[in-house]
Amino acid sequence: MIRSYPQSEYATYSAISVGDYHMKEKNVDAAIRAYQTAADKNMPAEVAREAQFKVGEIYFFQKATLDAKSAYQKLFYAFANDEGLPSEARKEPTLKGANHVEREQDS
């Protein structure tokens, strides 16, 4: 579906499903790629939003703070005016305490 009809909204749903499958198989890199494919399509918005959030969550739980921050900022900037985004999520992400973790990653 993703390759045959890349402009279809169903390709976005398919990419999310592929990402979920890869997460269950603990293939995190493939899951991130699938979720990013879904997020980049931006349609339907609620699915693309979910995909971008999942990318941020993966990085966050891997303690890859810089990547998580980037993913969450992309979510914020891409969907800040989206009515489906909770009002709390419309505030620019700061990831307080991220500077400490960033310094550890850079070492």
Side-chain angles (χ1 to χ4, degrees):
M1 175 66 71
I2 298 168
R3 288 188 186 133
S4 299
Y5 302 100
Q7 300 306 316
S8 167
E9 72 178 67
Y10 299 110
T12 307
Y13 289 106
S14 295
I16 287 274
S17 295
V18 168
D20 291 345
Y21 168 79
H22 286 303
M23 282 304 294
K24 287 178 186 171
E25 296 295 314
K26 299 186 184 339
N27 187 348
V28 177
D29 293 334
I32 289 171
R33 285 191 302 275
Y35 291 142
Q36 286 176 329
T37 296
D40 291 345
K41 293 189 177 307
N42 283 334
M43 63 175 228
E46 65 273 4
V47 178
R49 215 177 31 240
E50 175 187 352
Q52 187 61 42
F53 181 78
K54 286 183 176 195
V55 170
E57 289 289 282
I58 291 169
Y59 286 134
F60 180 79
F61 286 111
Q62 288 182 327
K63 299 190 185 333
T65 310
L66 292 174
D67 292 329
K69 183 178 179 181
S70 176
Y72 289 136
Q73 284 176 330
K74 184 176 178 182
L75 175 68
F76 171 77
Y77 291 118
F79 300 103
N81 295 320
D82 191 335
E83 291 300 316
L85 197 63
S87 61
E88 193 60 31
R90 291 185 195 155
K91 297 177 184 173
E92 186 167 4
T94 59
L95 288 180
K96 292 179 183 173
N99 291 335
H100 173 71
V101 176
E102 288 171 11
R103 277 188 241 116
E104 289 177 3
Q105 285 181 347
D106 293 337
S107 303

